[in-house]
């Protein structure tokens, strides 16, 4: 907003004012109309000398402009800017002016400025009370937009207005585009970014707000990487880590390799190693790229049967044939797999798994099938082109929460009652199962139902049997698949046993068990109706996969 104010006092006899006042009242330009008002307020002598008449007559229109800009909230009396200038009600009457008819220029009309203010004050964008709100009002707004982005694939594009300054101060790429060596046109084509992800990026640049959704977080991470916005990229990675499961771990591993995010890659491998069969059977596995496929098939620490790996490789090959517009024949599947198939350790399968699965898949040659059958059954085994050494897998670890065990003639009884304990751990782990006490009165069979709950929701359950030999040893029961347990969240481990009336029970229980790389904390559960608690009872062991330490036991 720029004002052009002219004040030149002229006496009615044609003479101009004195040089001192002419210096002050000459033609002046200000970007802010209040700058001239401030000059009047700070010049105490202007209203004290004889020329104050002309400046005083200029004050009413300036005061009117000020009231327009402040919405009529200026204080009456002496409350104007500067505090020392009073608007005169009439012209001063010095002796000189009593004998001279004074003529001054007509006051400048404030109507154009007032009209401009009225036109903008009705716009809700100007009612924001904070910088963030003002920037949020300009997000995806055509008002004052000086660049447009056409975002998305052809046929599904969205034209998004933006403001170069806001983008340039938040991204070095945008700065180079608009003010540096990569100067671009006023309309920028962005076909490789989804519109929703681009708007998420702009929302962060405009108002420092991050809104991430599971369906668009990968696209947002791509946009943040492309335009070098590291904090947004970091938040995307954290969001992915929290939402990481066996169902999306392989696909996220492929994306983390593409985005060069080593921490996310490590987290993906933790999930894939511990829950390999679930990860390989997920829908997203067929969408990974070939380098990720070879990395998975060659992984030494996978807890997975080889027949599951073989079937997963065939599913990926079928999807790859579709991507390459090839017919999904056995020959084409073998072609797209290439050397990756030789990473599957077919000789480590069970014979029945090989005979009923891999041998009849059609993807192996007749010579390979014959050699593999002989490898399984013959004393003199032929050389095969597949690894024959089993994978190491992950090492099971056990948390012991009791320091000793005991038995008495009148306990521990069951009769369908629940033994449960709450626990929390300070690192992410995968619960494999529980160790339980057996009969204290000789050998016995037990039927057992185990559960793992989070906030009352059953995450996993298993019904199985185990044989107790009458000793104080613990007997391990497992879930069908390892269950992911997040850090710093209480979970409930429960068991319902049906068998011999009396069993061993734990005592001298610990509320905290430090295992070196991680720490377990235990708390009594309100669901326990058979007496199990922190100090004593059932469920003496938690079996899990997690960070390895020298103090863990197999």
């Amino acid at each position: 907003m720029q004002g052009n104010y002219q004040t030149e006092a002229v006496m009615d006899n044609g003479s101009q004012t004195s040089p001192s006042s002419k210096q002050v009242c000459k033609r002046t330009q200000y970007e802010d109309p209040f700058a001239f008002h401030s000059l009047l307020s700070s010049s105490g002598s202007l209203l004290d000398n004889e020329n104050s008449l002309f400046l005083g007559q200029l004050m009413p229109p300036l005061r009117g402009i000020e009231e327009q800009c402040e919405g009529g909230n200026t204080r009456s009396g002496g409350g104007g800017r500067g505090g020392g200038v009073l608007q005169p009600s009439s012209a001063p009457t010095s002796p000189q002016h009593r004998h001279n008819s004074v003529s001054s220029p007509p006051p400048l009309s404030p109507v154009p400025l007032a009209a401009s203010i009225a036109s903008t004050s009705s716009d809700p964008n100007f009612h924001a009370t904070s910088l963030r709100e003002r920037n949020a009002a300009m997000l995806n707004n055509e008002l004052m937009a000086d660049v447009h982005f056409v975002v998305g694939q052809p046929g599904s594009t969205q034209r998004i207005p933006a403001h170069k300054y806001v983008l340039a101060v938040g991204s070095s790429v945008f700065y180079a585009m608009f003010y540096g060596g990569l100067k671009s046109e006023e309309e920028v084509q962005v076909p490789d970014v989804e519109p929703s992800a681009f708007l998420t990026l702009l929302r962060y640049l405009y108002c420092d707000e991050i809104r991430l959704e599971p369906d668009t977080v990968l696209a947002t991470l791509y946009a943040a990487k492309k335009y070098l916005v590291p904090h947004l990229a970091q938040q995307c990675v954290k969001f992915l880590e929290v939402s990481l499961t066996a169902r999306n771990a392989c696909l996220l591993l492929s994306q983390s390799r593409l985005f060069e995010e080593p921490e996310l890659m490590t987290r993906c491998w933790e999930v894939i190693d511990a829950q390999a069969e679930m990860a390989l059977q997920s829908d997203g596995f067929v969408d990974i790229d070939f380098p990720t496929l070879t990395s998975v098939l060659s992984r030494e620490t996978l807890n997975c049967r080889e027949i599951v790996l073989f079937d997963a490789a065939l599913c990926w090959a079928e999807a790859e044939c579709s991507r390459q517009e090839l017919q999904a024949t056995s020959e084409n599947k073998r072609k797209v797999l290439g050397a990756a198939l030789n990473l599957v350790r077919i000789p480590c399968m069970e014979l029945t798994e090989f005979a009923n699965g891999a041998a009849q898949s059609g993807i192996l040659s007749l010579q390979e099938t014959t050699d593999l059958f002989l490898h399984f059954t013959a004393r003199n085994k032929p050389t095969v082109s597949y690894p024959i050494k089993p994978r190491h897998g992950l090492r099971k670890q056990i948390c012991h929460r009791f320091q000793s065990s005991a038995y008495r003639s009148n306990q521990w009884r069951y009769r369908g009652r629940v033994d449960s304990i709450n626990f929390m751990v300070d690192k992410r782990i995968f619960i494999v199962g529980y160790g339980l006490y057996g009969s204290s009165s000789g050998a016995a069979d037990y039927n057992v139902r185990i559960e793992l709950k989070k906030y009352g929701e059953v995450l996993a359950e298993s019904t199985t049997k185990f044989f107790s030999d009458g000793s104080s040893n613990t007997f391990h029961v497992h879930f069908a698949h390892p269950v992911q347990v997040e850090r710093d969240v209480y979970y409930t481990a429960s068991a319902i046993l049906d068998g011999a009336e009396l069993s061993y029970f734990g005592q001298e229980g610990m509320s905290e068990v430090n295992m070196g790389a991680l720490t377990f904390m235990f708390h009594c559960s309100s669901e326990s109706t058979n007496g199990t608690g922190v100090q004593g009872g059932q469920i003496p062991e938690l079996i899990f996969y997690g960070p390895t330490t020298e103090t863990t036991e197999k």
Side-chain angles (χ1 to χ4, degrees):
M1 183 167 56
Q2 182 172 348
N4 186 4
Y5 302 98
Q6 177 178 350
T7 59
E8 185 173 357
V10 181
M11 307 297 291
D12 60 359
N13 60 5
S15 63
Q16 294 183 338
T17 59
S18 62
S20 62
S21 63
K22 185 176 181 181
Q23 287 180 339
V24 176
C25 301
K26 65 182 179 179
R27 180 180 177 87
T28 310
Q29 288 187 343
Y30 290 97
E31 292 183 357
D32 183 353
F34 296 117
F36 189 69
H37 187 182
S38 300
L39 176 62
L40 300 182
S41 302
S42 61
S43 303
S45 62
L46 295 180
L47 294 182
D48 296 334
N49 60 29
E50 60 184 8
N51 297 305
S52 62
L53 167 67
F54 313 111
L55 301 178
Q57 290 188 348
L58 185 61
M59 287 298 292
L62 285 176
R63 178 71 69 181
I65 294 173
E66 180 181 7
E67 291 176 353
Q68 289 279 356
C69 293
E70 294 186 353
N73 292 327
T74 54
R75 292 176 294 177
S76 60
R81 295 178 184 262
V85 178
L86 298 177
Q87 179 178 335
S89 58
S90 60
T93 54
S94 64
Q96 177 183 356
H97 295 113
R98 289 194 188 104
H99 303 286
N100 295 290
S101 175
V102 178
S103 175
S104 64
L108 296 176
S109 172
V111 174
L113 179 61
S116 175
I117 294 173
S119 66
T120 57
S121 63
S122 61
D123 193 317
N125 295 338
F126 293 93
H127 294 168
T129 59
S130 68
L131 178 61
R132 176 178 293 186
E133 291 179 357
R134 289 192 288 274
N135 280 347
M138 302 305 292
L139 174 64
N140 199 17
N141 193 333
E142 289 286 354
L143 182 64
M144 295 186 287
D146 52 2
V147 66
H148 290 79
F149 294 88
V150 180
V151 186
Q153 294 288 336
S156 59
T157 60
Q158 182 176 344
R159 193 169 187 266
I160 300 175
H163 307 82
K164 293 181 179 180
Y165 167 75
V166 177
L167 304 186
V169 298
S171 163
S172 58
V173 174
F174 283 129
Y175 174 83
M177 288 173 60
F178 302 138
Y179 303 105
L182 301 177
K183 289 187 178 179
S184 59
E185 302 295 332
E186 296 302 317
E187 186 168 279
V188 182
Q189 302 290 328
V190 190
D192 58 334
V193 178
E194 295 180 9
S196 57
F198 194 79
L199 286 172
T200 301
L201 171 70
L202 294 190
R203 182 176 298 279
Y204 171 71
L205 294 177
Y206 273 75
C207 29
D208 202 27
E209 180 180 343
I210 299 176
R211 296 181 184 178
L212 299 176
E213 299 292 339
D215 295 337
T216 60
V217 62
L218 280 174
T220 303
L221 176 59
Y222 174 79
K225 289 281 187 177
K226 175 178 180 176
Y227 293 104
L228 298 182
V229 185
H231 181 68
L232 178 59
Q234 184 182 26
Q235 294 305 309
C236 289
V237 171
K238 289 183 178 179
F239 184 92
L240 290 171
E241 289 180 353
V242 171
S243 59
L244 181 61
T245 66
R247 292 188 296 273
N248 61 16
C250 291
L251 185 58
L252 289 182
L253 174 64
S254 180
Q255 296 295 325
S256 63
R257 291 165 60 94
L258 174 65
F259 296 138
E260 298 180 349
E261 288 290 343
E263 291 185 6
L264 181 58
M265 287 178 59
T266 300
R267 285 287 303 112
C268 290
W269 279 125
E270 289 177 2
V271 175
I272 294 171
D273 283 342
Q275 299 176 308
E277 295 193 2
M278 295 175 63
L280 294 170
Q281 294 169 347
S282 65
D283 294 337
F285 180 79
V286 299
D287 295 323
I288 63 178
D289 57 13
F290 186 78
T292 304
L293 174 69
T294 57
S295 296
V296 173
L297 296 182
S298 61
R299 186 78 171 173
E300 189 69 31
T301 50
L302 291 179
N303 283 327
C304 184
R305 294 174 296 143
E306 293 300 325
I307 187 61
V308 176
L309 277 167
F310 183 85
D311 291 341
L314 291 189
C315 290
W316 182 92
E318 183 174 350
E320 184 64 16
C321 286
S322 177
R323 287 189 286 269
Q324 297 186 19
E325 298 182 351
L326 299 173
Q327 187 176 357
T329 63
S330 298
E331 292 77 11
N332 286 335
K333 290 180 184 179
R334 183 66 183 260
K335 178 182 177 180
V336 298
L337 280 173
L341 182 63
N342 296 89
L343 298 174
V344 181
R345 306 184 185 191
I346 297 178
C348 299
M349 294 181 184
E350 297 290 336
L351 177 58
T352 55
E353 292 176 337
F354 172 73
N356 295 324
Q360 301 186 42
S361 65
I363 201 170
L364 300 178
S365 68
L366 180 59
Q367 185 63 50
E368 286 178 319
T369 304
T370 302
D371 289 343
L372 286 167
F373 263 122
L374 291 174
H375 178 83
F376 280 109
T377 58
R379 179 177 299 175
N380 296 323
K381 301 181 185 300
T383 302
V384 294
S385 58
Y386 299 90
I388 62 175
K389 185 179 179 181
R391 301 175 196 269
H392 292 158
L394 291 179
R395 184 175 63 178
K396 293 179 182 178
Q397 302 180 55
I398 300 175
C399 173
H400 304 273
R401 69 186 193 93
F402 295 128
Q403 299 181 67
S404 64
S405 62
Y407 72 93
R408 295 173 186 163
S409 59
N410 59 347
Q411 64 182 89
W412 200 264
R413 297 179 182 274
Y414 295 106
R415 299 178 183 176
R417 291 189 291 262
V418 180
D419 289 285
S420 64
I421 188 71
N422 291 338
F423 71 93
M424 181 171 64
V425 66
D426 62 354
K427 296 285 192 313
R428 189 193 308 261
I429 63 170
F430 298 86
I431 292 293
V432 176
Y434 309 141
L436 302 174
Y437 289 121
S439 171
S440 60
S441 56
D445 290 312
Y446 282 89
N447 294 317
V448 59
R449 176 185 176 87
I450 58 173
E451 292 182 341
L452 179 64
K453 296 181 180 180
K454 176 183 177 182
Y455 302 134
E457 177 187 358
V458 178
L459 302 180
E461 60 183 3
S462 178
T463 300
T464 186
K465 298 179 179 181
F466 70 89
F467 173 75
S468 170
D469 59 6
S471 70
S472 60
N473 295 331
T474 57
F475 302 90
H476 293 175
V477 292
H478 302 93
F479 294 108
H481 300 284
V483 186
Q484 183 170 290
V485 168
E486 300 295 335
R487 55 174 293 183
D488 299 332
V489 177
Y490 268 112
Y491 293 80
T492 302
S494 301
I496 302 176
L497 282 81
D498 181 21
E501 280 288 306
L502 299 177
S503 77
Y504 289 90
F505 61 91
Q507 60 184 7
E508 298 181 277
M510 296 173 286
S511 60
E512 183 174 307
V513 179
N514 190 329
M515 302 190 64
L518 53 89
T519 300
F520 280 87
M521 286 148 283
F522 294 95
H523 189 273
C524 292
S525 169
S526 60
E527 297 182 17
S528 186
T529 59
N530 200 42
T532 291
V534 174
Q535 297 299 320
Q538 262 287 11
I539 317 180
E541 296 172 343
L542 300 182
I543 310 167
F544 67 97
Y545 297 133
T548 58
T549 66
E550 297 180 355
T551 59
T552 55
E553 301 178 29
K554 293 185 179 181

